[in-house]
Amino acid sequence: MNADLLSDVLNTLPVPVVAISPLERIVASNTDARTLLGQHIDGFHFTTVLRQPDVANAIEGCLRDH
Protein backbone atom coordinates (compact mmCIF):
# COMPACT_ATOMS: atom_id res chain seq x y z
CA MET A 1 0.00 0.00 0.00
CA ASN A 2 1.49 3.36 -0.94
CA ALA A 3 1.74 6.24 1.52
CA ASP A 4 -0.97 8.35 -0.15
CA LEU A 5 -3.50 5.52 -0.03
CA LEU A 6 -2.57 4.75 3.57
CA SER A 7 -2.98 8.43 4.52
CA ASP A 8 -6.40 8.46 2.84
CA VAL A 9 -7.44 5.41 4.87
CA LEU A 10 -6.10 6.94 8.10
CA ASN A 11 -7.98 10.18 7.40
CA THR A 12 -11.27 8.28 7.68
CA LEU A 13 -10.56 7.63 11.36
CA PRO A 14 -11.91 10.17 13.88
CA VAL A 15 -8.76 10.21 16.07
CA PRO A 16 -5.08 11.06 15.50
CA VAL A 17 -3.37 8.05 13.90
CA VAL A 18 0.15 7.35 12.67
CA ALA A 19 1.43 4.29 10.80
CA ILE A 20 4.91 3.14 11.76
CA SER A 21 7.08 0.91 9.59
CA PRO A 22 9.19 -2.02 10.81
CA LEU A 23 12.12 0.39 10.45
CA GLU A 24 10.48 2.51 13.18
CA ARG A 25 9.68 5.43 10.87
CA ILE A 26 6.34 7.17 10.57
CA VAL A 27 5.20 6.26 7.07
CA ALA A 28 1.76 7.88 7.13
CA SER A 29 -0.42 10.00 9.37
CA ASN A 30 -3.87 11.49 9.31
CA THR A 31 -4.78 15.16 9.46
CA ASP A 32 -5.60 15.01 13.19
CA ALA A 33 -2.19 13.49 13.98
CA ARG A 34 -0.37 16.14 11.93
CA THR A 35 -2.36 18.88 13.65
CA LEU A 36 -1.40 17.48 17.05
CA LEU A 37 2.19 16.45 16.34
CA GLY A 38 3.35 18.63 13.44
CA GLN A 39 2.67 18.86 9.72
CA HIS A 40 5.90 17.19 8.60
CA ILE A 41 6.13 14.12 10.85
CA ASP A 42 6.11 11.51 8.07
CA GLY A 43 9.55 9.98 7.62
CA PHE A 44 10.76 10.71 11.14
CA HIS A 45 11.68 8.04 13.67
CA PHE A 46 8.66 7.64 15.92
CA THR A 47 10.62 8.53 19.09
CA THR A 48 11.41 11.94 17.61
CA VAL A 49 7.70 12.74 17.42
CA LEU A 50 6.07 10.60 20.11
CA ARG A 51 7.85 11.40 23.37
CA GLN A 52 5.62 9.52 25.81
CA PRO A 53 7.49 6.53 27.31
CA ASP A 54 4.34 4.40 27.57
CA VAL A 55 3.51 5.04 23.92
CA ALA A 56 7.09 4.29 22.83
CA ASN A 57 7.10 1.06 24.85
CA ALA A 58 3.80 -0.02 23.30
CA ILE A 59 5.07 0.67 19.77
CA GLU A 60 8.33 -1.15 20.43
CA GLY A 61 6.38 -4.12 21.80
CA CYS A 62 4.16 -4.24 18.72
CA LEU A 63 7.17 -4.06 16.40
CA ARG A 64 8.99 -6.74 18.38
CA ASP A 65 5.98 -9.08 18.43
CA HIS A 66 5.00 -8.32 14.80
Side-chain angles (χ1 to χ4, degrees):
M1 183 179 296
N2 71 36
D4 290 333
L5 178 58
L6 185 54
S7 289
D8 289 345
V9 171
L10 296 181
N11 275 321
T12 66
L13 301 172
V15 296
V17 181
V18 296
I20 299 170
S21 76
L23 299 175
E24 302 183 349
R25 301 279 175 183
I26 297 173
V27 293
S29 55
N30 67 3
T31 302
D32 290 340
R34 289 189 303 276
T35 298
L36 181 65
L37 302 169
Q39 291 300 311
H40 304 287
I41 61 173
D42 293 359
F44 282 92
H45 192 276
F46 76 88
T47 58
T48 303
V49 177
L50 303 168
R51 300 274 179 133
Q52 295 295 321
D54 290 339
V55 173
N57 289 336
I59 292 168
E60 289 169 352
C62 288
L63 291 170
R64 180 183 59 248
D65 297 339
H66 302 285

